[in-house]
PDB file of all heavy atoms in Angstrom:
ATOM      1  N   CYS A  37      16.913  25.049 -21.892  1.00  0.00           N
ATOM      2  CA  CYS A  37      17.732  24.053 -22.367  1.00  0.00           C
ATOM      3  C   CYS A  37      18.383  24.231 -23.700  1.00  0.00           C
ATOM      4  O   CYS A  37      19.642  23.837 -23.835  1.00  0.00           O
ATOM      5  CB  CYS A  37      16.858  22.775 -22.505  1.00  0.00           C
ATOM      6  SG  CYS A  37      16.336  22.069 -20.891  1.00  0.00           S
ATOM      7  N   TRP A  38      17.743  24.858 -24.530  1.00  0.00           N
ATOM      8  CA  TRP A  38      18.269  25.148 -25.885  1.00  0.00           C
ATOM      9  C   TRP A  38      19.455  26.102 -25.618  1.00  0.00           C
ATOM     10  O   TRP A  38      20.535  26.002 -26.224  1.00  0.00           O
ATOM     11  CB  TRP A  38      17.233  25.824 -26.706  1.00  0.00           C
ATOM     12  CG  TRP A  38      17.689  26.101 -28.139  1.00  0.00           C
ATOM     13  CD1 TRP A  38      17.911  27.352 -28.765  1.00  0.00           C
ATOM     14  CD2 TRP A  38      18.051  25.125 -29.182  1.00  0.00           C
ATOM     15  NE1 TRP A  38      18.411  27.135 -30.076  1.00  0.00           N
ATOM     16  CE2 TRP A  38      18.436  25.784 -30.402  1.00  0.00           C
ATOM     17  CE3 TRP A  38      18.051  23.872 -29.254  1.00  0.00           C
ATOM     18  CZ2 TRP A  38      18.670  25.238 -31.539  1.00  0.00           C
ATOM     19  CZ3 TRP A  38      18.342  23.165 -30.474  1.00  0.00           C
ATOM     20  CH2 TRP A  38      18.711  23.912 -31.561  1.00  0.00           C
ATOM     21  N   GLY A  39      19.390  27.055 -24.839  1.00  0.00           N
ATOM     22  CA  GLY A  39      20.491  28.053 -24.542  1.00  0.00           C
ATOM     23  C   GLY A  39      21.694  27.502 -23.952  1.00  0.00           C
ATOM     24  O   GLY A  39      22.785  27.523 -24.183  1.00  0.00           O
ATOM     25  N   ILE A  40      21.271  26.478 -22.887  1.00  0.00           N
ATOM     26  CA  ILE A  40      22.405  25.656 -22.254  1.00  0.00           C
ATOM     27  C   ILE A  40      23.234  24.819 -23.281  1.00  0.00           C
ATOM     28  O   ILE A  40      24.362  24.580 -23.151  1.00  0.00           O
ATOM     29  CB  ILE A  40      21.933  24.842 -21.021  1.00  0.00           C
ATOM     30  CG1 ILE A  40      21.419  25.847 -19.981  1.00  0.00           C
ATOM     31  CG2 ILE A  40      22.839  23.826 -20.669  1.00  0.00           C
ATOM     32  CD1 ILE A  40      20.616  25.067 -18.872  1.00  0.00           C
ATOM     33  N   SER A  41      22.405  24.349 -24.344  1.00  0.00           N
ATOM     34  CA  SER A  41      23.178  23.474 -25.301  1.00  0.00           C
ATOM     35  C   SER A  41      24.223  24.284 -26.017  1.00  0.00           C
ATOM     36  O   SER A  41      25.082  23.794 -26.557  1.00  0.00           O
ATOM     37  CB  SER A  41      22.068  22.789 -26.108  1.00  0.00           C
ATOM     38  OG  SER A  41      21.623  23.801 -27.132  1.00  0.00           O
ATOM     39  N   PHE A  42      23.929  25.616 -26.331  1.00  0.00           N
ATOM     40  CA  PHE A  42      24.774  26.544 -27.005  1.00  0.00           C
ATOM     41  C   PHE A  42      26.150  26.621 -26.142  1.00  0.00           C
ATOM     42  O   PHE A  42      27.112  27.008 -26.804  1.00  0.00           O
ATOM     43  CB  PHE A  42      24.165  27.833 -27.328  1.00  0.00           C
ATOM     44  CG  PHE A  42      23.357  27.906 -28.521  1.00  0.00           C
ATOM     45  CD1 PHE A  42      22.055  27.263 -28.559  1.00  0.00           C
ATOM     46  CD2 PHE A  42      23.726  28.530 -29.709  1.00  0.00           C
ATOM     47  CE1 PHE A  42      21.346  27.250 -29.794  1.00  0.00           C
ATOM     48  CE2 PHE A  42      22.924  28.411 -30.731  1.00  0.00           C
ATOM     49  CZ  PHE A  42      21.714  27.849 -30.847  1.00  0.00           C
ATOM     50  N   ILE A  43      25.946  26.722 -24.872  1.00  0.00           N
ATOM     51  CA  ILE A  43      27.216  26.781 -23.976  1.00  0.00           C
ATOM     52  C   ILE A  43      27.933  25.437 -23.990  1.00  0.00           C
ATOM     53  O   ILE A  43      29.213  25.437 -24.069  1.00  0.00           O
ATOM     54  CB  ILE A  43      26.807  27.263 -22.630  1.00  0.00           C
ATOM     55  CG1 ILE A  43      26.210  28.777 -22.683  1.00  0.00           C
ATOM     56  CG2 ILE A  43      27.972  27.225 -21.603  1.00  0.00           C
ATOM     57  CD1 ILE A  43      25.562  29.250 -21.495  1.00  0.00           C
ATOM     58  N   VAL A  44      27.241  24.355 -23.678  1.00  0.00           N
ATOM     59  CA  VAL A  44      27.848  23.182 -23.592  1.00  0.00           C
ATOM     60  C   VAL A  44      28.548  22.545 -24.740  1.00  0.00           C
ATOM     61  O   VAL A  44      29.662  22.099 -24.723  1.00  0.00           O
ATOM     62  CB  VAL A  44      26.810  22.039 -23.086  1.00  0.00           C
ATOM     63  CG1 VAL A  44      27.379  20.640 -23.014  1.00  0.00           C
ATOM     64  CG2 VAL A  44      26.328  22.503 -21.608  1.00  0.00           C
ATOM     65  N   ASP A  45      27.829  22.686 -25.879  1.00  0.00           N
ATOM     66  CA  ASP A  45      28.287  22.164 -27.260  1.00  0.00           C
ATOM     67  C   ASP A  45      27.801  23.050 -28.317  1.00  0.00           C
ATOM     68  O   ASP A  45      26.885  22.746 -29.002  1.00  0.00           O
ATOM     69  CB  ASP A  45      27.931  20.715 -27.465  1.00  0.00           C
ATOM     70  CG  ASP A  45      28.467  20.123 -28.611  1.00  0.00           C
ATOM     71  OD1 ASP A  45      29.578  20.651 -29.138  1.00  0.00           O
ATOM     72  OD2 ASP A  45      27.928  19.176 -29.105  1.00  0.00           O
ATOM     73  N   PRO A  46      28.521  24.277 -28.619  1.00  0.00           N
ATOM     74  CA  PRO A  46      28.130  25.118 -29.571  1.00  0.00           C
ATOM     75  C   PRO A  46      27.940  24.541 -30.935  1.00  0.00           C
ATOM     76  O   PRO A  46      28.914  23.954 -31.384  1.00  0.00           O
ATOM     77  CB  PRO A  46      29.041  26.351 -29.499  1.00  0.00           C
ATOM     78  CG  PRO A  46      29.831  26.158 -28.247  1.00  0.00           C
ATOM     79  CD  PRO A  46      29.770  24.645 -27.782  1.00  0.00           C
ATOM     80  N   PRO A  47      26.970  24.805 -31.641  1.00  0.00           N
ATOM     81  CA  PRO A  47      26.698  24.275 -33.059  1.00  0.00           C
ATOM     82  C   PRO A  47      27.498  25.189 -33.956  1.00  0.00           C
ATOM     83  O   PRO A  47      27.937  26.234 -33.690  1.00  0.00           O
ATOM     84  CB  PRO A  47      25.191  24.497 -33.197  1.00  0.00           C
ATOM     85  CG  PRO A  47      24.805  25.654 -32.475  1.00  0.00           C
ATOM     86  CD  PRO A  47      25.742  25.559 -31.215  1.00  0.00           C
ATOM     87  N   ALA A  48      27.464  24.665 -35.239  1.00  0.00           N
ATOM     88  CA  ALA A  48      28.165  25.521 -36.224  1.00  0.00           C
ATOM     89  C   ALA A  48      27.256  26.768 -36.481  1.00  0.00           C
ATOM     90  O   ALA A  48      26.178  26.685 -36.151  1.00  0.00           O
ATOM     91  CB  ALA A  48      28.046  24.758 -37.627  1.00  0.00           C
ATOM     92  N   ALA A  49      27.827  27.797 -36.828  1.00  0.00           N
ATOM     93  CA  ALA A  49      27.226  29.143 -36.951  1.00  0.00           C
ATOM     94  C   ALA A  49      26.705  29.349 -38.318  1.00  0.00           C
ATOM     95  O   ALA A  49      26.461  30.470 -38.596  1.00  0.00           O
ATOM     96  CB  ALA A  49      28.203  30.200 -36.469  1.00  0.00           C
ATOM     97  N   ASP A  50      26.476  28.375 -39.150  1.00  0.00           N
ATOM     98  CA  ASP A  50      25.925  28.486 -40.533  1.00  0.00           C
ATOM     99  C   ASP A  50      24.667  29.394 -40.401  1.00  0.00           C
ATOM    100  O   ASP A  50      23.727  28.951 -39.805  1.00  0.00           O
ATOM    101  CB  ASP A  50      25.629  27.182 -41.101  1.00  0.00           C
ATOM    102  CG  ASP A  50      26.937  26.296 -41.335  1.00  0.00           C
ATOM    103  OD1 ASP A  50      28.030  26.927 -41.301  1.00  0.00           O
ATOM    104  OD2 ASP A  50      26.797  25.187 -41.431  1.00  0.00           O
ATOM    105  N   GLY A  51      24.622  30.473 -41.131  1.00  0.00           N
ATOM    106  CA  GLY A  51      23.451  31.244 -41.222  1.00  0.00           C
ATOM    107  C   GLY A  51      23.257  32.281 -40.213  1.00  0.00           C
ATOM    108  O   GLY A  51      22.382  33.120 -40.256  1.00  0.00           O
ATOM    109  N   LEU A  52      24.173  32.167 -39.278  1.00  0.00           N
ATOM    110  CA  LEU A  52      24.075  33.083 -38.042  1.00  0.00           C
ATOM    111  C   LEU A  52      25.113  34.185 -37.971  1.00  0.00           C
ATOM    112  O   LEU A  52      25.632  34.705 -36.986  1.00  0.00           O
ATOM    113  CB  LEU A  52      24.038  32.319 -36.688  1.00  0.00           C
ATOM    114  CG  LEU A  52      22.800  31.419 -36.642  1.00  0.00           C
ATOM    115  CD1 LEU A  52      22.976  30.623 -35.292  1.00  0.00           C
ATOM    116  CD2 LEU A  52      21.522  32.230 -36.466  1.00  0.00           C
ATOM    117  N   GLN A  53      25.777  34.521 -39.247  1.00  0.00           N
ATOM    118  CA  GLN A  53      26.765  35.430 -39.340  1.00  0.00           C
ATOM    119  C   GLN A  53      26.417  36.830 -38.679  1.00  0.00           C
ATOM    120  O   GLN A  53      27.286  37.589 -38.142  1.00  0.00           O
ATOM    121  CB  GLN A  53      27.285  35.552 -40.795  1.00  0.00           C
ATOM    122  CG  GLN A  53      28.037  34.332 -41.312  1.00  0.00           C
ATOM    123  CD  GLN A  53      27.003  33.434 -41.845  1.00  0.00           C
ATOM    124  OE1 GLN A  53      25.827  33.500 -41.762  1.00  0.00           O
ATOM    125  NE2 GLN A  53      27.542  32.295 -42.393  1.00  0.00           N
ATOM    126  N   LEU A  54      25.218  37.322 -39.117  1.00  0.00           N
ATOM    127  CA  LEU A  54      24.718  38.462 -38.372  1.00  0.00           C
ATOM    128  C   LEU A  54      24.889  38.506 -36.978  1.00  0.00           C
ATOM    129  O   LEU A  54      25.345  39.556 -36.326  1.00  0.00           O
ATOM    130  CB  LEU A  54      23.267  38.759 -38.874  1.00  0.00           C
ATOM    131  CG  LEU A  54      22.591  40.092 -38.315  1.00  0.00           C
ATOM    132  CD1 LEU A  54      23.364  41.249 -38.964  1.00  0.00           C
ATOM    133  CD2 LEU A  54      21.202  40.095 -38.697  1.00  0.00           C
ATOM    134  N   LEU A  55      24.577  37.539 -36.302  1.00  0.00           N
ATOM    135  CA  LEU A  55      24.770  37.337 -34.726  1.00  0.00           C
ATOM    136  C   LEU A  55      26.237  37.193 -34.434  1.00  0.00           C
ATOM    137  O   LEU A  55      26.527  37.922 -33.486  1.00  0.00           O
ATOM    138  CB  LEU A  55      23.862  36.271 -34.229  1.00  0.00           C
ATOM    139  CG  LEU A  55      22.344  36.324 -34.572  1.00  0.00           C
ATOM    140  CD1 LEU A  55      21.724  34.939 -33.852  1.00  0.00           C
ATOM    141  CD2 LEU A  55      21.776  37.564 -34.114  1.00  0.00           C
ATOM    142  N   THR A  56      26.884  36.435 -35.016  1.00  0.00           N
ATOM    143  CA  THR A  56      28.252  36.119 -34.512  1.00  0.00           C
ATOM    144  C   THR A  56      29.125  37.268 -35.011  1.00  0.00           C
ATOM    145  O   THR A  56      30.286  37.426 -34.556  1.00  0.00           O
ATOM    146  CB  THR A  56      28.807  34.866 -35.309  1.00  0.00           C
ATOM    147  OG1 THR A  56      28.662  34.859 -36.640  1.00  0.00           O
ATOM    148  CG2 THR A  56      28.064  33.574 -34.646  1.00  0.00           C
ATOM    149  N   SER A  57      28.702  38.243 -35.797  1.00  0.00           N
ATOM    150  CA  SER A  57      29.512  39.362 -35.975  1.00  0.00           C
ATOM    151  C   SER A  57      29.523  40.382 -34.795  1.00  0.00           C
ATOM    152  O   SER A  57      30.339  41.182 -34.617  1.00  0.00           O
ATOM    153  CB  SER A  57      29.052  40.128 -37.413  1.00  0.00           C
ATOM    154  OG  SER A  57      27.763  40.646 -37.069  1.00  0.00           O
ATOM    155  N   LEU A  58      28.346  40.220 -33.968  1.00  0.00           N
ATOM    156  CA  LEU A  58      28.355  40.944 -32.739  1.00  0.00           C
ATOM    157  C   LEU A  58      28.958  40.323 -31.606  1.00  0.00           C
ATOM    158  O   LEU A  58      29.521  41.051 -30.767  1.00  0.00           O
ATOM    159  CB  LEU A  58      26.836  41.317 -32.483  1.00  0.00           C
ATOM    160  CG  LEU A  58      26.128  41.897 -33.640  1.00  0.00           C
ATOM    161  CD1 LEU A  58      24.473  42.011 -33.292  1.00  0.00           C
ATOM    162  CD2 LEU A  58      26.668  43.434 -33.694  1.00  0.00           C
ATOM    163  N   CYS A  59      28.798  39.114 -31.373  1.00  0.00           N
ATOM    164  CA  CYS A  59      29.429  38.332 -30.355  1.00  0.00           C
ATOM    165  C   CYS A  59      29.239  36.814 -30.599  1.00  0.00           C
ATOM    166  O   CYS A  59      28.506  36.389 -31.552  1.00  0.00           O
ATOM    167  CB  CYS A  59      28.831  38.701 -28.982  1.00  0.00           C
ATOM    168  SG  CYS A  59      27.065  38.420 -28.710  1.00  0.00           S
ATOM    169  N   SER A  60      29.924  35.926 -29.839  1.00  0.00           N
ATOM    170  CA  SER A  60      29.907  34.537 -30.101  1.00  0.00           C
ATOM    171  C   SER A  60      28.478  33.840 -29.676  1.00  0.00           C
ATOM    172  O   SER A  60      27.715  34.431 -29.011  1.00  0.00           O
ATOM    173  CB  SER A  60      31.030  33.758 -29.229  1.00  0.00           C
ATOM    174  OG  SER A  60      30.611  33.802 -27.887  1.00  0.00           O
ATOM    175  N   LEU A  61      28.387  32.700 -30.284  1.00  0.00           N
ATOM    176  CA  LEU A  61      27.148  31.997 -30.035  1.00  0.00           C
ATOM    177  C   LEU A  61      26.912  31.598 -28.391  1.00  0.00           C
ATOM    178  O   LEU A  61      25.927  31.523 -27.919  1.00  0.00           O
ATOM    179  CB  LEU A  61      26.949  30.714 -30.816  1.00  0.00           C
ATOM    180  CG  LEU A  61      26.626  30.826 -32.271  1.00  0.00           C
ATOM    181  CD1 LEU A  61      26.550  29.566 -33.060  1.00  0.00           C
ATOM    182  CD2 LEU A  61      25.283  31.673 -32.382  1.00  0.00           C
ATOM    183  N   ARG A  62      28.015  31.506 -27.834  1.00  0.00           N
ATOM    184  CA  ARG A  62      28.088  31.277 -26.378  1.00  0.00           C
ATOM    185  C   ARG A  62      27.459  32.414 -25.669  1.00  0.00           C
ATOM    186  O   ARG A  62      26.649  32.325 -24.662  1.00  0.00           O
ATOM    187  CB  ARG A  62      29.446  31.002 -25.895  1.00  0.00           C
ATOM    188  CG  ARG A  62      29.931  29.672 -26.226  1.00  0.00           C
ATOM    189  CD  ARG A  62      31.272  29.399 -25.605  1.00  0.00           C
ATOM    190  NE  ARG A  62      31.889  28.189 -25.919  1.00  0.00           N
ATOM    191  CZ  ARG A  62      31.901  27.206 -25.110  1.00  0.00           C
ATOM    192  NH1 ARG A  62      31.363  27.176 -23.985  1.00  0.00           N
ATOM    193  NH2 ARG A  62      32.397  25.936 -25.580  1.00  0.00           N
TER     194      ARG A  62
END
Side-chain angles (χ1 to χ4, degrees):
C37 289
W38 186 247
I40 292 170
S41 79
F42 276 74
I43 293 172
V44 173
D45 188 17
D50 297 341
L52 297 173
Q53 293 83 353
L54 180 63
L55 301 181
T56 56
S57 69
L58 301 172
C59 58
S60 73
L61 284 180
R62 286 182 183 258

